[in-house]
């Protein structure tokens, strides 16, 4: 049977359609299974509707295609078998005007192929049946959305309670009617809630009794327990390895019993040998005779290993079925290796959405702030607040140099969510949100790249002692990026110049003396204006002021410095001073 192409709507129980009194439908053949569902209604008078079915349909027909001599041949068997092969869920046969009754041969064929057959009375139109199906689907969809919404609210409330991880797991297990478990990075169960899968099956329990009997040297009980394991397992799965091992236990127990009766009481060593062999065989069956609960636990743990992050291309979720139980695993997005596992006896529409919401909440609850790096950042913050120097706490954040990145969003204002997203894109959780700029402290080995929707300025690599200077560099780089309309600008991206040969101390002293008459706003305006080759408009854009304000400030700078800013030599000297004065 081909896999049905199920539409993105909840299925409708056939029993719900039969319960509609306004339709008057009556099931006259096929299994009366309350679990039968339909995904849509389709009308066809084709003798072979197979090519036109997707699966899951309630096929409606008035029998126009039925030939007069159909009852004496295999027509109905062929017709029904093709519907079943196409995945049809049920057949509705309309009475009048073609047929006054449902053909008896059609009823027998539906019973043979176990296809539900509904009698559609004359007053019920096929379009009315189709409309009823879609109405029931809409009701089911509404109920599903309400269920998902209520589950989202309850999961969010659970995340705010004490011991939130277990509270979320308990709420999830309750909503799906199954078992929810959180696997740690090493694959061990760290927390769980709900109805856990049962332990071992009856055959394993019988094998365990055989093991105890062997340890006590009671061969008669060995044989009895072995026969119990053999009988139980043979009833459940006669062909399995477990059944064969159970039979071996029974045989070993009987052999031990016979050998013990035959041997003399004083030959202790000889008497124990067959019992020891049987004990080993019993231990094997006890280990191999796992019950459904063991199978479910093992399969779910294996599914969790599949989605645990191990490199590019690793799936984030996976599903499976084991021992009649539906399984699902979800990798938590915190990148710490945690996985959410779910086991339920049935899989309802909306369960995936509910489990996904729980996975998001658990990702936040088990995120980096719960890990060692998050604790280290908290420790560094506390030490700084208590008076420690930056270079003393920097090792807690990681070794090596750092970059300071200033980011300005293209769409103002900036909010905390956007700031956190920028930090995540740059690979650092060390984010500071100011009024119009986001500052991010990034390890120097992570090269910042342009980010859509942001203008970035990046400092030169700096140690903790030089972080304040790097912060200034990042601010200057951001201004340069704004002025040049570049998505990213790095500080110090220039070739070595003659000025680099001068003593930094002498250059800084000269810069302070030359620029002493200027206030910081005027110095910043002059620096930006010079960097943009005297462009009034671009300087105004970079400083976010009016172009007339720029003209007034530049005129003020010329007056305070007592110089002609149109002179290229003057501009060069001032640019030299501004460059060395910012260090």
């Amino acid at each position: 049977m081909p896999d049905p192409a199920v539409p993105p709507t909840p299925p409708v129980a056939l029993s719900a359609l039969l319960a509609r009194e306004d339709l008057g439908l009556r099931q006259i053949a096929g299994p009366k299974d309350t679990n039968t569902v339909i995904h849509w209604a389709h009308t066809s008078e084709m003798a072979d509707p197979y090519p036109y079915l997707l699966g899951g349909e309630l096929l409606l027909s008035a029998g126009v295609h039925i030939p007069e001599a159909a009852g004496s041949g295999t027509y109905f068997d062929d017709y029904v078998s093709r519907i079943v092969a196409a995945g049809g869920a049920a057949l509705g046969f309309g009475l009048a005007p073609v047929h006054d009754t449902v053909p008896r041969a059609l009823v027998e064929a539906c019973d043979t192929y176990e296809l539900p057959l509904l009698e559609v009375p004359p007053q019920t139109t096929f379009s009315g049946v189709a409309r009823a199906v879609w109405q029931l689907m809409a009701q089911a969809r509404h109920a599903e959305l309400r269920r998902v919404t209520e589950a989202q609210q309850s999961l969010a409330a659970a995340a705010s309670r004490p011991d939130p991880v277990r509270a979320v797991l308990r709420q999830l297990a309750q909503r799906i009617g199954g078992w929810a478990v959180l696997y740690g990075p090493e694959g061990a169960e760290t927390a769980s809630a709900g109805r856990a899968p049962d332990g071992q099956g009856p055959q394993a329990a019988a094998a365990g009794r055989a093991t105890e009997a062997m340890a006590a040297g009671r061969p008669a009980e060995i044989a009895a327990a072995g026969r119990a394991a053999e009988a139980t397992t043979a009833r459940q799965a006669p062909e399995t390895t477990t059944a064969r091992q159970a039979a071996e236990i029974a045989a070993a127990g009987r052999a031990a019993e016979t050998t013990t009766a035959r041997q003399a009481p004083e030959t202790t060593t000889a008497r124990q040998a067959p019992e020891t062999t049987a004990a080993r065989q019993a231990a094997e069956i006890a280990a191999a005779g796992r019950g459904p609960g063991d199978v479910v636990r093992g399969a779910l743990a294996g599914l969790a290993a599949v989605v645990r992050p191990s490199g590019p291309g690793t799936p984030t979720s996976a599903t499976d079925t084991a021992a009649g139980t539906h399984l699902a695993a979800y990798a938590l997005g915190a990148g710490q290796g945690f996985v959410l596992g779910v086991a339920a006896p049935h899989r309802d529409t909306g369960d995936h959405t509910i489990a996904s919401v729980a996975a998001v909440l658990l990702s936040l609850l088990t995120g980096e702030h719960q890990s060692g790096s998050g604790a280290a950042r908290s420790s560094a913050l506390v030490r700084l607040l208590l008076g420690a120097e930056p270079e003393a706490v920097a090792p807690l954040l990681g070794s090596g140099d750092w970059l300071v990145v200033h980011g300005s969003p293209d769409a103002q204002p900036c909010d905390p969510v956007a700031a956190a997203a920028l930090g995540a894109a740059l690979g650092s959780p060390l984010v500071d949100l100011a009024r119009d700029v986001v500052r991010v402290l990034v390890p120097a080995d992570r090269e910042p790249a342009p980010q859509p929707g942001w203008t970035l300025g990046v400092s030169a690599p700096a140690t903790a002692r030089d972080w304040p200077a790097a912060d200034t560099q990042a601010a200057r780089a951001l201004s340069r990026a704004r002025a040049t309309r570049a998505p990213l600008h790095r500080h110090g991206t220039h070739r070595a110049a003659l000025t680099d040969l001068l003593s930094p101390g002498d250059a800084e002293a000269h810069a302070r003396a030359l620029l002493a008459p200027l206030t910081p706003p005027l110095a910043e305006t002059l620096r930006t204006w010079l960097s943009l080759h005297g462009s009034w408009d671009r300087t105004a854009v970079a400083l976010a002021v009016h172009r007339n304000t720029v003209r007034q400030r530049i005129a003020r700078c010329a007056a305070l410095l007592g110089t002609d800013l149109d002179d290229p030599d003057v501009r060069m000297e001032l640019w030299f001073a501004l460059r060395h004065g910012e260090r």
Side-chain angles (χ1 to χ4, degrees), residues 57 100 115 180 199 207-208 282 312 367 406 456 482 487 492 507 529 532 560 583:
E57 296 96 344
D100 295 331
L115 178 68
H406 281 209
L456 303 180
R482 285 170 171 169
W529 181 71
L532 297 175
L560 291 173
R583 294 182 179 178

Side-chain angles (χ1 to χ4, degrees), residues 151-152 154-184 188-196 300 328-330 332 338-344 354-363 365-366:
Q152 290 174 336
S154 62
L155 287 169
S160 64
R161 296 171 189 158
D163 195 6
V165 171
R166 288 179 172 80
V168 170
L169 290 175
R170 284 194 296 269
Q171 191 61 230
L172 174 61
Q174 178 182 345
R175 291 291 173 173
I176 65 173
W179 186 52
V181 57
L182 179 66
Y183 295 99
E189 297 180 11
T190 60
S192 63
R195 296 176 297 187
L300 187 56
Y330 303 84
L332 302 189
F338 289 93
V339 176
L340 170 64
V342 175
I354 295 173
S356 297
V357 172
V360 172
L361 293 173
L362 291 173
S363 296
L365 296 172
T366 60

Side-chain angles (χ1 to χ4, degrees), residues 556-567:
R556 181 63 176 164
C557 290
L560 291 173
L561 296 174
T563 188
D564 181 10
L565 295 182
D566 290 331
D567 189 338

Side-chain angles (χ1 to χ4, degrees), residues 251-433:
R254 289 190 290 271
E257 184 178 17
T258 303
T259 303
T260 305
R262 187 172 60 248
Q263 291 177 332
E266 59 273 10
T267 56
T268 305
T269 304
R271 183 174 66 246
Q272 290 176 340
E275 296 172 9
T276 304
T277 301
R280 286 197 300 269
Q281 292 174 322
E284 293 175 1
I285 178 57
R290 301 185 304 162
D294 301 307
V295 174
V296 170
R297 283 180 178 269
L300 187 56
L303 205 62
V306 171
V307 302
R308 184 168 289 107
S310 59
T314 302
T316 57
S317 64
T319 59
D320 198 0
T321 303
T325 302
H326 297 280
L327 311 177
Y330 303 84
L332 302 189
Q336 305 299 316
F338 289 93
V339 176
L340 170 64
V342 175
H346 49 79
R347 183 177 295 153
D348 291 336
T349 305
D351 282 355
H352 174 72
T353 302
I354 295 173
S356 297
V357 172
V360 172
L361 293 173
L362 291 173
S363 296
L364 298 175
L365 296 172
T366 60
E368 198 171 4
H369 66 282
Q370 300 287 352
S371 64
S373 58
R377 288 198 303 273
S378 298
S379 177
L381 175 61
V382 171
R383 294 186 189 185
L384 284 173
L385 293 174
L386 296 179
E389 295 296 328
E391 55 267 25
V393 303
L396 294 173
L397 303 178
S399 59
D401 293 342
W402 294 77
L403 301 173
V404 178
V405 179
H406 281 209
S408 175
D410 297 341
Q412 296 287 353
C414 182
D415 55 42
V417 175
L422 176 62
L426 296 176
S428 175
L430 303 174
V431 179
D432 173 44
L433 173 61

Side-chain angles (χ1 to χ4, degrees), residues 1 22 50 148 151 262 302 306 475 479:
M1 179 185 299
D22 58 321
Y50 181 95
V148 171
R262 187 172 60 248
V306 171
S479 295

